[in-house]
């Protein structure tokens, strides 16, 4: 009898601006997989809370709201630079979740255990749809601990701040390097010290430190790891 293959999930985790979104997008293109950036779920939940309560301070209320909100991702329906559509109860919020207000509050929302539980469940459901590259903070440790392939990208805070600075500059957004660095260090602290699903590499993940490496080198390293893992696992 032909062996049944489970839908393949490639888990890419790492801190903010480690290059994981770029890598995940390139890998997805190369392999013909769907690219699912799970951070959008936390951003959409934050947007919903800000709209409903103008604040994210009430953990209980934010959790209840997240549990009753439908957040989904779909292949990009418009060619405007997006990599996927992000839907909040059916409404396209792909760009609204990138606002600085959401940016400012999303770490707090993503530290609420009830919010994580609800969104982890939704991410698992989406993951079951088929071959995909999932990028986040806890994909290899919590969302899909038995994912066949796990990659963890890291880079120093200074290198990540430098990259974010160049990205923003290219988009015409003015922000000082020092301010970006402070915000990255603050987010790292919140993401890696939270009680539930803190940011850390899974024991069986390939850890790549991207300091001083080009994206092509990181892509190359990842692809050879993926091929090797698939061969080993049969
Ligand atoms: O990757 P990003 O900047 O879009 O993530 C937004 C926030 O969501 C960030 O504070 C980390 C959090 N996040 C998380 O806790 N778990 C994930 N799987 C993805 C993102």
């Amino acid at each position: 009898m032909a062996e049944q293959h489970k839908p393949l999930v490639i888990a890419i985790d790492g801190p903010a601006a480690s290059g994981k979104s770029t890598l995940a997008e390139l890998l997805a293109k190369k392999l013909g997989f769907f690219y699912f950036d799970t951070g959008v779920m936390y951003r959409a939940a934050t947007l919903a809370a800000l709209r409903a309560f103008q604040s994210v301070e009430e953990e209980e209320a934010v959790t209840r709201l997240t549990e009753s909100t439908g957040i989904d991702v779909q292949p990009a329906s418009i060619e405007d630079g997006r990599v996927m559509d992000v839907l909040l109860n059916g409404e396209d919020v792909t760009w609204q979740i990138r606002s600085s207000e959401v940016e400012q509050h999303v770490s707090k929302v993503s530290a609420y255990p009830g919010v994580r539980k609800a969104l982890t469940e939704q991410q698992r459901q989406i993951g079951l749809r088929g071959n995909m590259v999932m990028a986040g903070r806890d994909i290899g440790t919590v969302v899909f601990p038995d994912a066949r392939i796990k990659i963890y990208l890291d880079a120093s805070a200074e290198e990540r701040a430098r990259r974010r600075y160049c990205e923003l500059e290219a988009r015409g957004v003015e922000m000082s390097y020092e301010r970006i660095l402070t915000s990255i260090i603050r987010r790292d602290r919140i993401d890696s010290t939270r009680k539930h699903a803190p940011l850390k590499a899974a024991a069986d993940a390939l850890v790549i430190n991207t300091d001083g490496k080009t994206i092509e080198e990181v892509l190359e390293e990842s692809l050879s790891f993926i091929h090797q893992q698939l061969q080993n696992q049969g």
Side-chain angles (χ1 to χ4, degrees), residues 38-39 42-43 106-107 110 116 136-138 187 191 194:
T38 58
Y42 292 94
R43 287 172 179 271
V106 66
S107 271
S110 64
R116 299 204 70 81
R137 303 290 196 287
D138 60 344
R187 267 177 61 173
D191 290 347
R194 67 175 174 232

Side-chain angles (χ1 to χ4, degrees), residues 6-142:
K6 277 199 287 188
L8 183 58
V9 168
I10 298 180
I12 314 271
D13 292 303
S18 56
K20 62 181 188 305
S21 322
T22 312
L23 174 67
E25 200 184 336
L26 287 172
L27 279 177
K29 268 209 190 102
K30 198 115 193 154
L31 302 167
F33 281 19
F34 181 67
Y35 164 44
F36 176 17
D37 167 11
T38 58
V40 303
M41 309 279 291
Y42 292 94
R43 287 172 179 271
T46 304
L47 177 67
L50 288 171
R51 280 179 174 177
F53 316 121
Q54 289 78 51
S55 125
V56 300
E57 298 305 314
E58 294 297 325
E59 179 172 348
E60 183 69 22
V62 173
T63 303
R64 294 290 155 268
L65 180 68
T66 306
E67 285 168 350
S68 63
T69 301
I71 303 171
D72 197 11
V73 290
Q74 291 291 337
S77 62
I78 311 174
E79 268 190 48
D80 62 356
R82 65 182 60 192
V83 289
M84 61 187 158
D85 288 359
V86 181
L87 305 171
L88 181 65
N89 289 328
E91 177 195 346
D92 185 341
V93 293
T94 307
W95 294 115
Q96 289 178 53
I97 59 167
R98 301 286 160 192
S99 71
S100 62
E101 233 207 324
V102 168
E103 191 79 45
Q104 222 180 317
H105 295 96
V106 66
S107 271
K108 181 149 209 171
V109 171
S110 64
Y112 292 153
V115 168
R116 299 204 70 81
K117 187 163 176 276
L119 295 185
T120 295
E121 197 39 55
Q122 295 197 35
Q123 286 163 41
R124 286 187 183 136
Q125 292 304 323
I126 294 172
L128 293 176
R129 287 180 194 161
N131 296 343
M132 65 178 71
V133 181
M134 281 176 82
R137 303 290 196 287
D138 60 344
I139 309 304
T141 48
V142 175

